[in-house]
Amino acid sequence: MAFDLTLFSNKLRRYRTQFDVSIEHLATATGLSVEVLTCLDAGTRTPTGDEVLILADYFKCDYKFFISNEQLAPLEQTDKLFRKHGGDLTPADRWAIQEFLYLCECEAFLLDVLQRPAPRLFTFTKKGSYFKGHGEAAARELRRHLGFVENAIRGDIFAVFREIGVHIFRRRLENSRISGLYLKHPTAGKCVLVNYSEDVFRQR
């Protein structure tokens, strides 16, 4: 596989733009020199393996994303999210979302490697245009799918979601108006972030 330097530098610039990270700040945070990062950013120097790993660690992504045309990453989803709701997300919130997606990707990889039992996938087909009704009907169907008796409440609701193939993590978001996020990761699948600055009942 030939290394695509232009692709690498484009991805590096897109990540720097998403998180508003200057080359100088990136140099301080990673220990890579401003000169090296400037060349990598411009696509005039091929990175070493160490440099790829350091940058992947800093941006919380799979190192293969930086070096492969085929490797997918949540960059497209976060790019759309940050463009649409960028004014609602602080820099800390953006990093929390990035870390959350990286954890989802890692968990999916580990579940595959460890050959854990396949999740009990749940699907729901909505009917009509009453959106609140969709939620209520989906909740009833999910309870039946999981074998819950009437009014039963499981203690670990996060484990319930993992049972049906949803990666779910709690991270603190500074914007208290955002209770959580749902994103479809290109390799991990369904991912839910719960804002743990909310009270515990709202989190559940």
Side-chain angles (χ1 to χ4, degrees), residues 19 34 132 158 195 197:
F19 296 104
V34 169
K132 185 177 179 182
F158 297 100
N195 184 357
S197 65

Side-chain angles (χ1 to χ4, degrees), residues 32-88:
L32 301 176
S33 71
V34 169
E35 292 75 23
V36 165
L37 289 170
T38 300
C39 292
L40 295 177
D41 199 71
T44 59
R45 176 185 181 282
T46 301
T48 66
D50 282 349
E51 289 162 356
V52 171
L53 292 173
I54 288 168
L55 291 168
D57 180 64
Y58 177 79
F59 286 110
K60 299 288 185 255
C61 71
D62 188 332
Y63 74 91
K64 292 188 287 293
F65 164 70
F66 272 123
I67 62 172
S68 170
N69 262 329
E70 299 173 2
Q71 179 68 15
L72 298 171
L75 182 61
E76 297 300 331
Q77 287 93 328
T78 52
D79 193 32
K80 290 175 187 173
L81 177 69
F82 295 164
R83 284 175 188 269
K84 187 172 181 181
H85 302 287
D88 296 325

Side-chain angles (χ1 to χ4, degrees), residues 87-102:
D88 296 325
L89 297 167
T90 66
D93 288 346
R94 290 179 180 224
W95 282 111
I97 292 167
Q98 181 71 5
E99 182 182 45
F100 148 70
L101 288 170
Y102 183 58

Side-chain angles (χ1 to χ4, degrees), residues 84-150:
K84 187 172 181 181
H85 302 287
D88 296 325
L89 297 167
T90 66
D93 288 346
R94 290 179 180 224
W95 282 111
I97 292 167
Q98 181 71 5
E99 182 182 45
F100 148 70
L101 288 170
Y102 183 58
L103 287 172
C104 291
E105 188 175 353
C106 291
E107 182 177 64
F109 172 77
L110 288 171
L111 290 174
D112 184 52
V113 169
L114 298 173
Q115 299 180 334
R116 299 296 295 272
R120 300 164 60 192
L121 298 179
F122 170 72
T123 58
F124 171 75
T125 304
K126 62 186 179 183
K127 297 173 184 173
S129 58
Y130 179 45
F131 297 118
K132 185 177 179 182
H134 293 164
E136 293 169 349
R140 285 193 298 273
E141 288 297 317
L142 178 58
R143 291 177 68 83
R144 275 197 287 271
H145 176 76
L146 293 169
F148 284 15
V149 297
E150 189 67 25

Side-chain angles (χ1 to χ4, degrees), residues 186-202:
T187 56
K190 299 170 183 176
C191 301
V192 171
L193 179 153
V194 176
N195 184 357
Y196 74 62
S197 65
E198 297 273 11
D199 69 72
V200 67
F201 297 104
R202 188 163 177 81

